[in-house]
Amino acid sequence: MEESPSSQVLFEIEGLILDALQVISYKWLSRKFSIPSNMAKRLLERFVSQNKQLDLEVVYAVSGWTKQEPQCYSVQLVPKSKLEDVKASLKENPSVHVYSVQRCLPKDPAQLWSADFVQAVELFNQPQDVNNSLRDNRFSAVSCTLVQRSLLRKTSGSTSSQQQIPVAAAKPISTPRGPVQNAAQPSHISRSTTADRKPVKSEIPPVPPISALSHHAKDVIADIKPVKTEIPSVQSVSPQHDAKDTALGKNGSKIVVLPPAGKRKAMASVPLGGANGGSSISNLWGKAASKPSATSHSKELEPPVEVAGDAEARIQAMEADGFSDEDVDPYVSTRVKRTAGRRRMIVEDDDSGNEGAEEDEEMIVRLGTPDSPQDVKPLLWNGHDRSMVPKDQISEVNAKSSTLEMKVSSNLVQDKNGLASNIQPAMKDKVVQKSNVVEQDVPGFRAGIKRKKVMKTRIDEKGREVTEVVWVTEGEDTASADEKPPLVTAKPSAPTNKESDTKASTERTRALPKPQPAPPKAPASKGGKSATKATGKQQGSIMSFFKKQ
Amino acid sequence: MEDMDVDMLPRVQATYVSHNEKFELKKQKYKGQQYSQLYFFRLTFTRQYLNPRIKERWPSYIVTNILGLDEGKVCVVIGTLYKQMKLKPNILDEYSKERSVGGLVVPSNFTDAEDYLILEDESGRVKLVGDCISPAVYVTGVVVAVCGQPGKDGEFLVEEILEPGLAPQPPLPTRKKSESEKYVAFVSGLRCGGPETNPLQVQLLVDHLTGHLGEEQEQSLSAQVVRTIIAGDSVQLQAQALHGQPLSSKDQHKLIEPIKELDLVLTQLASAMPVDIMPGSKDPANFSLPQQPLHKCLFPGATAYSTFVSATNPHQFELDGVGFLGTSGQNIEDLDKYSLADDPVDYMERTLSWRHIAPTAPDTLGCYPFHDRDPFLIEPSCPHVYFCGNQDKFSTRLIRGPKGEMVRLVCIPRFAETGTAVLVSLSTLECHCVTLSTSLLEISSIEDIKPDIKP
């Protein structure tokens, strides 16, 4: 009677070997049916003895001390045909057990390994907070009490919320394995207690292995941790999301539900942001300037000397704080273009590892987090409760932010200065001075807070190195600056710059107030994309401008 | 079904203390330091060890510096050896006009019969001559005391040479009867992801150590392993993917795959027992010694475990009071290029006696320009187990010092080539191999028996 579950397993094994031509190793069996590996060995042995007529190939693991000196403990995988030879070469009482059963011996022994490996990788790639048989070695015959697993996020800029992760994450890990395993596999002798064992033994008949049989590999997870019902849904989420899960994983399984919602948002807002970003830029610059297109400038600036003159005029105008729209425009267009170029480079980097997308999601998920009822975030995200900000606003601000790479613009001034200096060296000093002013004006905007651009390198959960250009406010804690997504810090300065530059433009001033109530969190790449879009047309004209020099 | 009921064997534990501080480079600075300070510290410290030994051995002779040598007067000089080698590669040779004159084949050993030793101290240098000193044994950077008399032409006729000898050693802790035997497992050269690496072999090792493989008797053996030390060259990166250009995502994948595989191995090990991983010459770590720990971001899976330690190379630690010191093999490999010995264990024994694990650093072995210490000196005490990774074959020796010191020398073979790991007993320092083999599964070996394999 107690044979029923194991015989069912045996039946299943037979099917896998004969029909699916699979290599069944004891380890694979142990993980698949959540049984200790020693039990899996016995099962395989029984299977072999019961199915002698099937002409199966059996690989044995033979281990023992060698006879020749120096003594050496030898572990060998041996086909059935050589079993006796190998046994004879070892000292008395070698340990022999079935390692794997298959239809035919593979040409490359490594094939015995690949099925195990695929299974192990599957377990390995499960979200970090899931405790599976790979991670706690629960099916081994040797236990080690020293082993402790803690989920530490390794991102450099650890924020208050992130620091709490380990504490909270300890929970899912420390959840007793006993009940879990009992549910999944009553016949499994869990580590929990020896007292458990007797009832377990009597329970052996129960079904679990069979239920496990009916499922496929993915459901192994469910078998292992039936408690966490959400897990399968997590699995169905895209790989980026897994990383996301781990990022959010402080509440363990609870938060696991979040990502999909977050993703939906991300999906919804990304295209939105892109479109809006583009339009907002054209709104900003296109409407503000009476002659938005750079082609007009190229006409204007045709003679090289005039370029210099133009620059000077512009500077003077800026100094006077009352320059016209036309004067600003070259700045705008060049700035946008450069920025776009920059961003595009970074985006490319990001794309190679889906980084950009991931960050997008991460931030949007954060925006969305307050929606979740069980969320602890409000505490952690003090003051970042931006879910209330209308999406279009966010994206608009984004778009602006992308255009506001101060350094770039000032560099441009210097570039021009270089050009101009060929013609009118006398101009140089002034231009440089001016460019400096431009650079400093912006940081100085907020009550004398200095901002500077810093390259930050951090390691994300997937082990990739991410380099970001971040605006850091001097005097502020760098950690706190780090906590915010890079562009968040950059954004406030964006409108600022324009404000100082262009008080004349009513359009712009109208646009300005928006970011201030809600300095938004929004993905870096989004802004970049929109910026690129907006400048698509203008790029050519700028090139022509330089050509004409 | 009753026999399926198996007790979990508890793994034996040992207290672990790391002594890697001296190998850790907290603040690396390259502000024009020269290596002179490293040599200076080496000479100064080794002189302290040598002085008492000189007083013991040659109580009547005076100890002087090279500048103070008097012709015809027997005296003792302490200094750093420099080995003048004819075949030693010189970077300047690449720029010589007669480039074609040199042989195209680069020898793997640069020793030559014409090599000779020069002794240097702060005051000067002198050429050492005499039959009792064999240039083939010594290398540049070793500090010794020589006894002899200066001859003409600025030569020094050596009568006897004195090495610092074994460092003092605390007695080996004795095992209580009630305690179980404890072993430390050493493995090196796993080369995960390499084209010639057999992943099944690595998996067998993991299964053996973690207590999956074998019947109970085998599992009780693996339960006695308190710690696994992975001594370098754990991954084989596809170096051809690196060509100085930005990598395509495909190449990045190729590059990262072996590390992921290693992470999986380490995760399995760390979930079952304490594991130390040291960087090796082929690992993604810094080149120069001391190699800093492999960055934990390389192993997102294994890092989560308290049992996972990413260590420096060299690695020094203590387990239940038993001292361990070892490298991933670079120091011995370099000695093998610039001196001669029958067995790598000989090199190891020499370095113990020189009290310096890497005397050829910084001459021919990459090394950080330390300006405040020489971390490679064997101090303050001599280890009980001295290991060296990535050797061609397993070899071991137990050396006993004059004062009852006992040191187990272990050459750990490359696992990928030999399938061998080494276990060292903490109580007796006995040492044996564990070999894992899948070679009998090779088709060639079973063809004769079963030529017709059904699909």
Side-chain angles (χ1 to χ4, degrees):
Chain A
M1 38 117 216
E2 64 175 14
E3 295 297 322
S4 57
S6 62
S7 60
Q8 218 113 15
V9 173
L10 295 178
F11 180 74
E12 187 75 7
I13 295 172
E14 191 181 326
L16 282 168
I17 292 175
L18 295 181
D19 302 336
L21 293 178
Q22 213 177 322
V23 177
I24 307 282
S25 71
Y26 77 94
K27 233 182 153 196
W28 187 89
L29 199 67
S30 128
R31 285 181 185 145
K32 168 88 177 167
F33 299 116
S34 301
I35 51 178
S37 37
N38 279 358
M39 192 197 278
K41 289 171 201 162
R42 310 262 151 73
L43 266 178
L44 273 187
E45 208 172 319
R46 179 173 306 179
F47 174 76
V48 171
S49 62
Q50 282 176 5
N51 296 283
K52 281 194 176 139
Q53 76 287 356
L54 284 178
D55 192 25
L56 294 168
E57 282 295 339
V58 184
V59 173
Y60 292 92
V62 184
S63 42
W65 295 97
T66 52
K67 278 179 179 164
Q68 65 269 50
E69 291 292 323
Q71 268 213 353
C72 172
Y73 195 82
S74 155
V75 180
Q76 281 173 290
L77 292 190
V78 184
K80 202 201 272 172
S81 50
K82 291 202 168 178
L83 182 59
E84 291 310 317
D85 296 354
V86 174
K87 267 185 178 172
S89 72
L90 297 172
K91 278 192 175 170
E92 80 286 352
N93 218 353
S95 143
V96 181
H97 69 79
V98 178
Y99 182 84
S100 69
V101 181
Q102 53 272 306
R103 193 64 205 270
C104 61
L105 282 176
K107 277 186 183 160
D108 182 3
Q111 281 181 16
L112 291 186
W113 161 85
S114 54
D116 287 6
F117 180 70
V118 169
Q119 194 188 33
V121 166
E122 218 162 79
L123 293 172
F124 183 78
N125 288 337
Q126 281 178 18
Q128 292 234 324
D129 51 353
V130 176
N131 210 14
N132 56 37
S133 62
L134 179 86
R135 292 192 175 139
D136 62 10
N137 197 34
R138 67 173 75 126
F139 298 138
S140 154
V142 180
S143 65
C144 183
T145 50
L146 274 180
V147 178
Q148 279 183 332
R149 192 163 172 273
S150 59
L151 296 180
L152 280 166
R153 282 210 50 204
K154 301 174 296 300
T155 42
S156 56
S158 67
T159 66
S160 58
S161 65
Q162 281 168 346
Q163 279 160 357
Q164 295 194 15
I165 289 169
V167 185
K171 251 187 192 170
I173 292 159
S174 61
T175 46
R177 287 171 209 114
V180 172
Q181 282 173 341
N182 283 347
Q185 175 51 269
S187 62
H188 166 227
I189 297 92
S190 73
R191 270 185 200 183
S192 47
T193 52
T194 38
D196 281 348
R197 213 173 297 135
K198 269 190 182 168
V200 165
K201 237 194 250 174
S202 62
E203 272 177 52
I204 283 170
V207 222
I210 308 154
S211 69
L213 294 177
S214 60
H215 297 304
H216 281 294
K218 254 192 184 170
D219 296 11
V220 174
I221 310 145
D223 290 340
I224 293 162
K225 283 242 160 184
V227 179
K228 292 191 178 182
T229 46
E230 299 96 326
I231 287 163
S233 77
V234 173
Q235 285 256 317
S236 65
V237 174
S238 71
Q240 307 127 310
H241 240 101
D242 287 356
K244 180 86 250 66
D245 294 340
T246 58
L248 290 172
K250 37 193 148 330
N251 326 14
S253 55
K254 278 183 190 172
I255 254 187
V256 168
V257 197
L258 273 177
K263 191 175 189 180
R264 253 176 275 131
K265 277 205 170 178
M267 302 275 227
S269 62
V270 165
L272 252 181
N276 274 350
S279 63
S280 70
I281 281 200
S282 59
N283 281 346
L284 259 178
W285 304 117
K287 283 176 190 168
S290 57
K291 288 176 190 171
S293 73
T295 38
S296 60
H297 294 294
S298 61
K299 276 178 207 159
E300 257 179 49
L301 305 175
E302 253 173 316
V305 183
E306 269 185 42
V307 174
D310 185 59
E312 193 193 25
R314 210 179 301 129
I315 289 152
Q316 281 168 349
M318 283 162 81
E319 276 170 345
D321 203 19
F323 50 94
S324 71
D325 285 338
E326 282 91 341
D327 283 328
V328 183
D329 263 330
Y331 270 72
V332 171
S333 55
T334 51
R335 194 183 293 148
V336 168
K337 178 215 159 188
R338 275 298 174 104
T339 317
R342 262 189 82 85
R343 292 313 303 174
R344 201 184 306 132
M345 272 185 67
I346 292 172
V347 167
E348 267 169 19
D349 281 346
D350 290 348
D351 281 349
S352 67
N354 264 341
E355 187 55 46
E358 203 174 301
E359 284 191 347
D360 283 4
E361 276 177 26
E362 185 164 347
M363 275 177 281
I364 283 149
V365 168
R366 282 175 188 171
L367 288 175
T369 41
D371 295 349
S372 147
Q374 330 111 309
D375 208 356
V376 262
K377 282 244 171 97
L379 279 176
L380 311 172
W381 287 90
N382 45 349
H384 294 307
D385 194 355
R386 273 181 213 113
S387 54
M388 298 304 138
V389 181
K391 263 176 212 154
D392 52 346
Q393 232 179 51
I394 294 168
S395 51
E396 207 174 345
V397 175
N398 268 346
K400 275 185 258 161
S401 75
S402 66
T403 62
L404 289 167
E405 310 261 1
M406 296 293 97
K407 278 245 169 87
V408 174
S409 65
S410 68
N411 283 345
L412 257 185
V413 174
Q414 274 163 340
D415 280 354
K416 263 192 191 155
N417 164 27
L419 284 170
S421 64
N422 289 336
I423 306 138
Q424 289 199 0
M427 299 286 301
K428 202 175 178 180
D429 287 342
K430 219 173 188 186
V431 177
V432 173
Q433 212 181 3
K434 191 59 229 161
S435 71
N436 286 342
V437 172
V438 170
E439 201 177 339
Q440 284 164 0
D441 269 353
V442 182
F445 163 68
R446 277 204 174 171
I449 296 169
K450 263 198 172 181
R451 293 177 191 279
K452 60 181 176 183
K453 216 194 271 177
V454 176
M455 294 282 279
K456 291 234 164 160
T457 306
R458 64 178 173 90
I459 306 298
D460 70 0
E461 327 57 76
K462 288 191 176 172
R464 290 167 303 197
E465 196 176 276
V466 181
T467 305
E468 294 167 325
V469 180
V470 187
W471 284 94
V472 174
T473 310
E474 266 184 17
E476 264 182 42
D477 192 356
T478 44
S480 68
D482 205 0
E483 165 197 342
K484 296 166 199 159
L487 280 172
V488 178
T489 42
K491 260 159 242 156
S493 68
T496 327
N497 179 27
K498 255 147 269 163
E499 192 174 46
S500 61
D501 280 358
T502 63
K503 273 176 192 162
S505 156
T506 49
E507 294 268 353
R508 254 164 262 167
T509 40
R510 190 157 54 82
L512 268 175
K514 281 180 192 170
Q516 274 155 354
K521 300 205 155 203
S525 55
K526 227 196 275 174
K529 276 170 208 158
S530 54
T532 322
K533 235 187 203 173
T535 51
K537 291 178 223 157
Q538 299 170 347
Q539 225 163 319
S541 61
I542 284 163
M543 289 315 290
S544 68
F545 160 71
F546 282 115
K547 267 175 201 158
K548 273 168 192 162
Q549 292 283 309
Chain B
M1 257 342 229
E2 299 83 51
D3 56 350
M4 292 197 179
D5 190 355
V6 190
D7 277 308
M8 292 285 268
L9 292 161
R11 184 175 293 280
V12 180
Q13 296 178 6
T15 41
Y16 173 80
V17 185
S18 169
H19 294 298
N20 279 343
E21 310 84 40
K22 60 179 176 179
F23 301 122
E24 280 163 14
L25 298 171
K26 297 261 163 50
K27 268 188 190 170
Q28 291 194 47
K29 273 193 290 185
Y30 294 90
K31 288 193 173 170
Q33 317 93 301
Q34 300 288 312
Y35 287 110
S36 59
Q37 276 141 320
L38 191 70
Y39 281 122
F40 174 77
F41 276 98
R42 190 180 299 177
L43 182 59
T44 315
F45 276 93
T46 318
R47 191 177 271 150
Q48 287 172 15
Y49 313 141
L50 279 167
N51 275 331
R53 296 203 70 192
I54 291 169
K55 278 202 186 103
E56 219 173 89
R57 174 76 77 85
W58 304 299
S60 54
Y61 296 148
I62 53 156
V63 181
T64 176
N65 63 12
I66 287 169
L67 203 61
L69 289 176
D70 271 345
E71 203 177 319
K73 196 171 160 192
V74 177
C75 56
V76 179
V77 188
I78 300 172
T80 312
L81 291 175
Y82 176 78
K83 188 166 167 181
Q84 183 65 47
M85 300 178 79
K86 201 175 95 182
L87 298 178
K88 183 174 167 183
N90 187 342
I91 186 74
L92 295 179
D93 290 346
E94 285 182 26
Y95 299 95
S96 77
K97 284 175 183 167
E98 305 157 46
R99 201 177 298 172
S100 56
V101 173
L104 289 173
V105 181
V106 180
S108 60
N109 189 293
F110 304 113
T111 52
D112 188 83
E114 289 175 32
D115 295 346
Y116 58 89
L117 294 171
I118 291 169
L119 192 75
E120 286 187 359
D121 69 3
E122 296 96 331
S123 64
R125 63 180 354 209
V126 62
K127 184 179 171 184
L128 300 181
V129 293
D131 295 336
C132 77
I133 186 159
S134 154
V137 171
Y138 292 94
V139 291
T140 299
V142 178
V143 178
V144 290
V146 290
C147 172
Q149 50 182 322
K152 42 189 176 348
D153 302 335
E155 287 175 346
F156 188 86
L157 184 64
V158 180
E159 287 166 9
E160 210 175 341
I161 189 161
L162 186 68
E163 294 167 0
L166 291 183
Q169 189 187 45
L172 189 70
T174 47
R175 176 167 66 107
K176 295 180 201 99
K177 280 266 151 58
S178 58
E179 270 183 348
S180 148
E181 187 69 86
K182 293 178 184 176
Y183 288 97
V184 181
F186 292 96
V187 63
S188 75
L190 288 177
R191 292 203 192 151
C192 283
E196 271 123 53
T197 313
N198 179 356
L200 183 58
Q201 217 171 22
V202 179
Q203 190 59 46
L204 276 183
L205 175 74
V206 170
D207 289 349
H208 173 75
L209 289 173
T210 54
H212 283 279
L213 206 63
E215 296 297 322
E216 272 169 60
Q217 71 207 51
E218 180 174 345
Q219 285 162 353
S220 63
L221 286 178
S222 64
Q224 291 172 351
V225 179
V226 292
R227 185 170 276 266
T228 299
I229 315 292
I230 301 174
D233 290 1
S234 316
V235 286
Q236 185 145 20
L237 297 178
Q238 308 286 311
Q240 69 270 20
L242 293 168
H243 37 62
Q245 305 288 323
L247 290 181
S248 70
S249 60
K250 199 178 141 206
D251 283 344
Q252 284 179 354
H253 188 72
K254 251 194 228 164
L255 213 57
I256 195 75
E257 215 41 54
I259 297 176
K260 276 187 176 166
E261 204 179 310
L262 177 64
D263 189 20
L264 186 61
V265 167
L266 291 174
T267 304
Q268 293 175 64
L269 281 174
S271 69
M273 65 196 303
V275 185
D276 287 10
I277 184 164
M278 297 161 58
S281 56
K282 295 186 180 72
D283 286 331
N286 59 330
F287 165 76
S288 58
L289 292 178
Q291 284 186 298
Q292 296 305 293
L294 289 169
H295 200 284
K296 291 200 166 184
C297 74
L298 292 171
F299 311 114
T303 305
Y305 293 92
S306 59
T307 41
F308 176 75
V309 176
S310 187
T312 55
N313 169 36
H315 184 25
Q316 187 164 18
F317 60 98
E318 214 173 86
L319 275 173
D320 272 359
V322 180
F324 288 79
L325 171 65
T327 65
S328 296
Q330 292 99 324
N331 56 340
I332 303 301
E333 193 188 341
D334 203 53
L335 286 180
D336 193 38
K337 284 181 191 160
Y338 295 96
S339 59
L340 291 174
D342 298 332
D343 195 304
V345 179
D346 292 333
Y347 295 123
M348 295 179 73
E349 193 173 340
R350 283 177 204 162
T351 57
L352 272 187
S353 174
W354 296 334
R355 250 191 238 198
H356 197 282
I357 53 175
T360 49
D363 183 37
T364 49
L365 188 61
C367 162
Y368 177 77
F370 288 97
H371 61 278
D372 54 349
R373 64 186 195 273
D374 183 354
F376 306 113
L377 285 168
I378 299 175
E379 54 154 14
S381 63
C382 186
H384 295 98
V385 179
Y386 180 41
F387 62 91
C388 171
N390 298 300
Q391 299 301 303
D392 292 333
K393 59 181 179 51
F394 166 71
S395 57
T396 182
R397 184 179 295 167
L398 188 70
I399 55 172
R400 289 173 190 276
K403 289 170 194 158
E405 298 99 336
M406 228 167 56
V407 188
R408 166 63 64 182
L409 310 180
V410 186
C411 285
I412 312 159
R414 295 182 195 94
F415 186 82
E417 289 166 14
T418 60
T420 303
V422 181
L423 294 189
V424 178
S425 155
L426 278 188
S427 58
T428 60
L429 302 185
E430 283 304 313
C431 171
H432 70 262
C433 288
V434 174
T435 56
L436 302 119
S437 153
T438 62
S439 57
L440 288 176
L441 290 178
E442 304 280 346
I443 274 299
S444 54
S445 71
I446 51 172
E447 245 166 13
D448 46 340
I449 303 156
K450 196 175 170 71
D452 184 22
I453 292 166
K454 288 180 187 170

